[in-house]
Amino acid sequence: MQAHTALIFYELVNSLLSAGRVRVNTATFHNDMTTFHSKDDVLTLLIHLGYLAYDFASQEVFIPNYEISGEFKTALQGAGWDTVVKAVDESEQLLRNTWNKREDLVAAALEQMHMETSILTYNDENSLSCVMSLAYYSARIYYTEIRELPTGEGYADIVYLPRKNHLDKPALLIELKWDKSKKGAIEQIKERKYGKALEDYVGKLLLVGINYDKKTKKHECVIEEYHK
């Protein structure tokens, strides 16, 4: 695989494993299982094999569920995608460090994730959000992810609500900042009363502020428990 093509597929894999969607043109596929002229041909084959679901309205593919995502990950292990697989494995430890409010370890893990798996250039909170999704890949086991949760006074960037069989885990309310401050992220959560969006939630809730400093090129993290 040529370097440029490998780079394109690297970006696609990151996007799909981060619960993202990729636009695809299925009309170019010849269905001979041997001829692949573009990423569209490969993605269309994965649709036929059941690894990817296809949204006819938006013409986008996505990994349909966690089980298929696990199979997708296993397939990558034998295809030279060790860096991506390693990053997914490490996301479990990142999640545990978040639960234990180990801020420095969380920041360091995000730093490593960005260096090893992302070809994105950070320009705003949206690009930071893509790396966050891959970093917290393992959260899908325990949580339902909600993006841009309406709070009445704004939108919380990312919220993880525990699934019914994992109610022992804390809910996570994550606010992202690009080239601002981690304290600013937490203050925004409090000032705009994002926690009220979860006022019916009775379990433990952690507020997580993440900032990427443009000058130092470092991630910063602050984690606090929310008290009603």
Side-chain angles (χ1 to χ4, degrees):
M1 185 180 289
Q2 296 180 349
H4 178 65
T5 303
L7 190 61
I8 292 174
F9 277 97
Y10 192 82
E11 181 178 10
L12 291 177
V13 169
N14 269 340
S15 178
L16 290 169
L17 284 177
S18 303
R21 289 178 171 233
V22 175
R23 190 170 177 83
V24 60
N25 178 9
T26 59
T28 62
F29 187 58
H30 297 288
N31 200 27
D32 60 6
M33 305 294 285
T34 58
T35 305
F36 302 101
H37 296 292
S38 68
K39 66 153 179 92
D40 292 314
D41 290 343
V42 176
L43 293 175
T44 304
L45 174 60
L46 291 175
I47 295 172
H48 291 308
L49 294 176
Y51 282 102
L52 296 177
Y54 181 66
D55 186 329
F56 285 90
S58 64
Q59 297 184 335
E60 294 173 324
V61 293
F62 58 95
I63 298 177
N65 54 54
Y66 184 79
E67 289 72 23
I68 295 296
S69 187
E71 293 183 22
F72 200 81
K73 173 190 163 187
T74 299
L76 292 176
Q77 288 179 317
W81 296 91
D82 295 340
T83 300
V84 175
V85 173
K86 178 175 178 287
V88 170
D89 289 339
E90 290 177 347
S91 68
E92 177 73 21
Q93 185 59 50
L94 170 61
L95 190 57
R96 295 187 181 280
N97 285 334
T98 304
W99 293 336
N100 293 315
K101 295 187 283 189
R102 296 173 178 169
E103 300 167 341
D104 290 343
L105 293 179
V106 170
L110 292 175
E111 191 73 29
Q112 191 69 16
M113 178 70 68
H114 184 233
M115 288 191 297
E116 290 186 352
T117 68
S118 177
I119 62 171
L120 293 170
T121 299
Y122 279 166
N123 294 313
D124 52 27
E125 284 86 358
N126 289 330
S127 52
L128 175 56
S129 179
C130 292
V131 172
M132 288 290 296
S133 290
L134 183 57
Y136 281 92
Y137 174 84
S138 291
R140 302 180 194 187
I141 300 173
Y142 312 99
Y143 295 97
T144 296
E145 181 185 84
I146 304 172
R147 287 179 170 272
E148 299 294 328
L149 177 69
T151 65
E153 298 186 34
Y155 294 85
D157 287 330
I158 307 173
V159 174
Y160 288 107
L161 287 179
R163 299 182 185 274
K164 290 183 178 179
N165 55 336
H166 292 292
L167 295 178
D168 59 316
K169 304 296 187 293
L172 306 176
L173 199 162
I174 301 175
E175 182 67 23
L176 305 175
K177 291 296 180 186
W178 179 78
D179 204 29
K180 293 179 182 176
S181 75
K182 59 183 180 180
K183 286 293 184 183
I186 288 291
E187 288 171 3
Q188 180 170 318
I189 293 174
K190 294 177 179 178
E191 290 173 359
R192 298 188 181 181
K193 300 179 174 62
Y194 287 177
K196 282 196 171 183
L198 303 177
E199 60 184 358
D200 293 331
Y201 175 74
V202 297
K204 185 177 179 180
L205 171 60
L206 295 180
L207 310 181
V208 182
I210 301 292
N211 178 61
Y212 177 76
D213 189 295
K214 182 181 177 181
K215 293 181 180 179
T216 64
K217 300 188 183 302
K218 296 291 184 181
H219 295 75
E220 304 170 326
C221 174
V222 59
I223 303 173
E224 296 182 8
E225 185 170 349
Y226 177 78
H227 298 284
K228 296 182 181 181

